[in-house]
Amino acid sequence: MHRAQENAVVELLDVPPVAEELAARFAERGHRLYLVGGSVRDALLHRSSGDLDFTTDARPDAILGIVQGWADAVWDTGIAFGTVGARRRHDTIEITTFRADSYDGASRNPEVRFGDDITGDLVRRDFSVNAMAVELTDGPGAHRFVDPHGGLAALAQGVLDTPAAPEQSFSDDPLRMLRAARFVAQLGFTPADRVLAALREMSGQLSRITAERVQAEFSKLMLGEHPRRALELMVDTGLASHVVPEVPAMQLETDEHMQHKDVYTHSLVVMEQAIGKETDGPDLVLRLAALLHDIGKPATRRKEPDGRVSFHHHEVVGAKMTRKRLKDLRYPKAVIDDVCHLVYLHLRFHGYGKGEWTDSAVRRYVTDAGPLLDRLHKLVRSDCTTRNRRRANALQRSYDSLEDRISELREQEELDAIRPDLDGNQIMELLGVGPGPQVGKAYKYLLALRMEQGPLGAQRAEAELRAWAAENLSG
């Protein structure tokens, strides 16, 4: 790239004041400092990147000396790998000594070696769009753009390629293969042909990576703007078989009578439709539930005597499969529980028909969903992918009716916090008993009555309790 082009690129970059301050400190001590990687990429894309990443010829101890007294906080948890973290006012920064690592080819443990120039550091980075740097230590405003691997051109074309041969890059760290899919999801990039070939050939090496690291990348992918593209890439290259094998397993062959739709494509469409219903930013629980809601179908597929294809209890089987997969990926318990519960409940609405449910059934739907009700609404509405417009409209009208029923009941009786009309203390006082299983049984009886009939009022609840006690607690 000619100097004039470099200058034009640098002018596009809005280098934050904290970076200029830091560069001045490094320059005073005779060191070079570069803004690097995702920070440069996102600045050129005018995206907010959060943290700032720098690289330097200074060794870790020298970095510590430079930031001490300037940063509000410093941490050296990554110092063995040449990284010092710091916070200055509202900015979080990471500064890493030039690296020239080699890898043992088995575990992804690098033999940490520090380098002496920016070129050697950039060639070991994952993708060319992340292998650009801006030197800041030539003085304020005198910045130099460094792009030895065509990262700017790749960025302009939306192409994901590696600085070195992809086989070498992915062998050094197989997680980079999943990172490729993540960048497809976040940035909408298209992998270069040689990257695609390497992904197909090497996807099995992802098994060298810990479940925790895989989960972190997969979650970022799922929260991106284009997760469907990324998932299709994972399935097409074989990566999905090592992360979420249940997803490619949904690619059921369509029988000769076309009696069921492709569950895999259906699930991707449901996920996209659920994303379209998000109101407070990307929702990992909703997206995972939408993707996995039908993974129990292949295991429950049966051909009925009349020739139809059925998937009885696939929501029960799917919830169990989902729990196992998310546990294996080391997701937090709260995420696992919520996703599994949505998978388990996603079919419940289909018993509603044209409004046949009693008020009791509506109450149970709400209480069973609990705090997941809003997500369940979104999932169920998204689960309609039929091209039959009349059927689709009928389903949506039916769900509108259910939501209206829920709203009416909420207004009548504060449905979110259903309790029996008498609490445990009142039950003990009326029955003249102390704490124990009898109180629990009485409470459950009154709760069931409350669910079936709505608020009873204290007087009627007392009468019902006395009648129940006469039958159940006599003798």
Side-chain angles (χ1 to χ4, degrees):
M1 183 180 292
H2 297 302
R3 184 69 187 176
Q5 288 175 295
E6 289 181 3
N7 290 341
V9 170
V10 168
E11 284 176 17
L12 289 172
L13 289 166
D14 184 16
V15 176
V18 70
E20 301 283 18
E21 285 180 35
L22 190 60
R25 292 179 71 86
F26 273 78
E28 284 169 13
R29 291 159 178 79
H31 292 294
R32 295 189 175 281
L33 183 73
Y34 297 80
L35 190 65
V36 73
S39 297
V40 177
R41 179 200 70 223
D42 289 340
L44 288 167
L45 290 171
H46 302 294
R47 294 173 86 242
S48 171
S49 65
D51 300 350
L52 295 170
D53 293 321
F54 299 89
T55 188
T56 178
D57 59 348
R59 295 305 192 244
D61 288 344
I63 298 173
L64 279 173
I66 293 170
V67 297
Q68 291 287 0
W70 173 80
D72 300 323
V74 177
W75 49 95
D76 60 3
T77 47
I79 201 161
F81 298 97
T83 300
V84 173
R87 190 180 73 251
R88 168 79 167 172
R89 294 187 290 270
H90 301 296
D91 294 298
T92 301
I93 63 178
E94 279 197 350
I95 310 159
T96 303
T97 303
F98 293 152
R99 294 270 291 273
D101 300 338
S102 60
Y103 292 78
D104 62 16
S107 67
R108 192 349 241 177
N109 292 325
E111 177 193 330
V112 178
R113 289 191 297 117
F114 298 132
D116 296 310
D117 63 73
I118 185 67
T119 308
D121 179 88
L122 294 177
V123 75
R124 54 166 287 283
R125 292 180 179 263
D126 54 2
F127 300 105
S128 56
V129 293
N130 298 330
M132 299 178 282
V134 177
E135 183 171 6
L136 305 174
T137 36
D138 287 346
H143 303 144
R144 183 171 67 91
F145 185 61
V146 184
D147 181 22
H149 304 290
L152 185 65
L155 198 64
Q157 295 161 16
V159 171
L160 202 61
D161 204 351
T162 50
E167 293 78 8
Q168 179 63 52
S169 182
F170 298 157
S171 178
D172 285 349
D173 182 359
L175 189 66
R176 288 173 172 174
M177 293 187 285
L178 195 52
R179 282 171 64 83
R182 191 245 287 185
F183 285 123
V184 167
Q186 288 183 328
L187 304 172
F189 285 2
T190 302
D193 288 344
R194 66 173 191 160
V195 169
L196 277 175
L199 290 174
R200 292 191 177 104
E201 182 186 331
M202 301 176 67
S203 62
Q205 292 201 32
L206 198 58
S207 59
R208 286 165 43 195
I209 303 301
T210 63
E212 289 81 2
R213 293 183 72 214
V214 168
Q215 183 249 98
E217 281 298 325
F218 185 64
S219 294
K220 290 176 186 174
L221 177 160
M222 287 295 294
L223 291 169
E225 285 185 51
H226 315 283
R228 177 174 179 171
R229 287 191 214 174
L231 288 161
E232 287 174 337
L233 172 68
M234 288 178 66
V235 170
D236 292 346
T237 57
L239 284 171
S241 299
H242 304 282
V243 182
V244 279
E246 298 81 3
V247 171
M250 287 192 287
Q251 293 176 299
L252 297 171
E253 293 180 17
T254 306
D255 62 32
E256 67 274 18
H257 301 298
M258 299 291 284
Q259 287 288 352
H260 73 275
K261 58 196 165 197
D262 175 14
V263 182
Y264 164 68
T265 303
H266 163 75
S267 298
L268 294 178
V269 173
V270 171
M271 181 185 69
E272 286 192 311
Q273 293 184 167
I275 289 169
K277 298 184 191 313
E278 290 173 340
T279 50
D280 298 312
D283 183 342
L284 182 64
V285 165
L286 177 63
R287 293 182 181 201
L288 285 171
L291 174 66
L292 302 175
H293 75 285
D294 273 349
I295 61 170
K297 276 194 168 177
T300 56
R301 183 175 188 248
R302 299 283 182 276
K303 194 154 190 178
E304 302 294 342
D306 62 2
R308 292 183 307 109
V309 176
S310 69
F311 303 95
H312 293 309
H313 305 303
H314 76 265
E315 75 283 13
V316 179
V317 174
K320 288 179 181 172
M321 292 171 66
T322 297
R323 184 169 297 279
K324 182 180 185 311
R325 176 54 48 214
L326 298 185
K327 278 180 75 173
D328 286 350
L329 284 170
R330 305 290 193 273
Y331 272 97
K333 184 178 184 302
V335 171
I336 296 173
D337 289 347
D338 285 353
V339 174
C340 292
H341 201 47
L342 286 170
V343 172
Y344 178 72
L345 290 176
H346 83 273
L347 271 189
R348 180 78 64 86
F349 159 71
H350 292 284
Y352 183 76
K354 294 179 180 176
E356 287 86 355
W357 279 4
T358 61
D359 284 355
S360 168
V362 175
R363 290 188 191 99
R364 289 196 183 282
Y365 188 76
V366 173
T367 52
D368 286 352
L372 295 172
L373 183 63
D374 185 54
R375 284 177 169 133
L376 184 59
H377 288 334
K378 292 171 182 172
L379 176 59
V380 173
R381 285 187 180 277
S382 301
D383 195 19
C384 175
T385 60
T386 179
R387 291 181 183 173
N388 182 326
R389 184 48 46 199
R390 208 164 69 179
R391 175 168 159 72
N393 288 339
L395 278 169
Q396 296 299 340
R397 280 197 305 274
S398 191
Y399 208 85
D400 288 343
S401 160
L402 174 58
E403 287 205 55
D404 289 344
R405 295 267 303 278
I406 291 170
S407 295
E408 288 165 12
L409 284 169
R410 270 213 178 105
E411 285 174 18
Q412 290 167 21
E413 54 192 75
E414 297 178 3
L415 188 59
D416 287 329
I418 288 181
R419 297 285 184 275
D421 295 78
L422 305 176
D423 64 21
N425 290 325
Q426 291 169 308
I427 291 171
M428 287 190 285
E429 187 179 334
L430 272 166
L431 298 182
V433 298
Q438 292 176 334
V439 179
K441 288 175 185 174
Y443 186 93
K444 282 183 183 172
Y445 171 72
L446 288 176
L447 179 60
L449 269 183
R450 171 76 173 75
M451 294 287 286
E452 291 294 337
Q453 301 179 26
L456 305 176
Q459 192 172 353
R460 186 179 157 208
E462 288 177 18
E464 294 281 0
L465 179 62
R466 291 186 196 282
W468 174 87
E471 276 189 40
N472 293 274
L473 302 182
S474 58

